[in-house]
Amino acid sequence: RFKDVFGLLHEVKPRDKIFLFHNQKKFTYEIFDIRVVKPTEIDVLGHTKDERLTLITCTPLGTNLKRLVVTAKRV
């Protein structure tokens, strides 16, 4: 179910690792920022000067009241 894709994202914490696989290559990221924002705060989607991964989901889970934004840097 689509709403469950990031169902456990609320449990991560800074310094946790995220592993992505693309074209049989492994990419490792370390979480450095976790925040909750209003849906209108779209600046979290802007370009950055560094290579980072940003994961976004609705919070509280199953609602569209706010957004949980988890940001990680490549290590």
Side-chain angles (χ1 to χ4, degrees), residues 43 56 64-65:
D43 61 304
I56 302 173
N64 63 357
L65 298 174

Side-chain angles (χ1 to χ4, degrees), residues 16-40:
D16 280 352
K17 301 284 192 294
I18 298 171
F19 303 100
L20 296 178
F21 294 88
H22 179 67
N23 289 336
Q24 299 180 346
K25 186 173 178 184
K26 181 178 179 180
F27 298 87
T28 304
Y29 292 83
E30 183 177 289
I31 296 172
F32 71 89
D33 187 44
I34 301 171
R35 57 185 158 151
V36 174
V37 300
K38 296 176 185 176
T40 56

Side-chain angles (χ1 to χ4, degrees), residues 22-70:
H22 179 67
N23 289 336
Q24 299 180 346
K25 186 173 178 184
K26 181 178 179 180
F27 298 87
T28 304
Y29 292 83
E30 183 177 289
I31 296 172
F32 71 89
D33 187 44
I34 301 171
R35 57 185 158 151
V36 174
V37 300
K38 296 176 185 176
T40 56
E41 294 181 54
I42 59 172
D43 61 304
V44 298
L45 301 173
H47 291 281
T48 62
K49 294 180 181 178
D50 59 341
E51 185 175 344
R52 63 176 62 184
L53 173 71
T54 303
L55 304 176
I56 302 173
T57 192
C58 295
T59 193
L61 194 60
T63 72
N64 63 357
L65 298 174
K66 294 188 179 178
R67 304 293 183 262
L68 174 67
V69 181
V70 175

